[in-house]
Amino acid sequence: MTRRKRPYKSTAIVLWALGVMLTLPALLPLASGTPGAQAFAPIGISIGVLVLIAGTLLFFTGPKEPLEDPRETPVDDD
């Protein structure tokens, strides 16, 4: 079994943490219906969700595999 390499794992984890730190404080005033939710919540939710999506995309991005060049493959002359 080969392990899959994740070259952007640490960056993805940092983005997830940043996204959660932006989203959670924005959800609490929005859920309670306080007047502060009108200013801060939409910005925190929209940016936080985008940061979470970016972290998820980076986490599942794998290393680029080199393309095989047909000119470099050996040919058997039988």
Side-chain angles (χ1 to χ4, degrees):
M1 175 186 284
T2 60
R3 291 185 60 133
R4 189 171 166 194
K5 294 181 181 179
R6 299 195 190 278
Y8 305 112
K9 182 179 178 181
S10 59
T11 307
I13 292 171
V14 169
L15 286 176
W16 281 339
L18 183 63
V20 167
M21 288 181 354
L22 285 170
T23 306
L24 283 182
L27 286 176
L28 296 175
L30 186 66
S32 64
T34 60
Q38 295 175 355
F40 181 71
I43 294 171
I45 290 174
S46 61
I47 293 174
V49 169
L50 289 176
V51 171
L52 287 170
I53 291 171
T56 303
L57 289 176
L58 278 179
F59 185 76
F60 289 112
T61 300
K64 292 183 180 179
E65 296 179 7
L67 297 174
E68 292 184 24
D69 190 8
R71 295 175 289 177
E72 294 180 6
T73 56
V75 178
D76 283 342
D77 293 331
D78 289 331

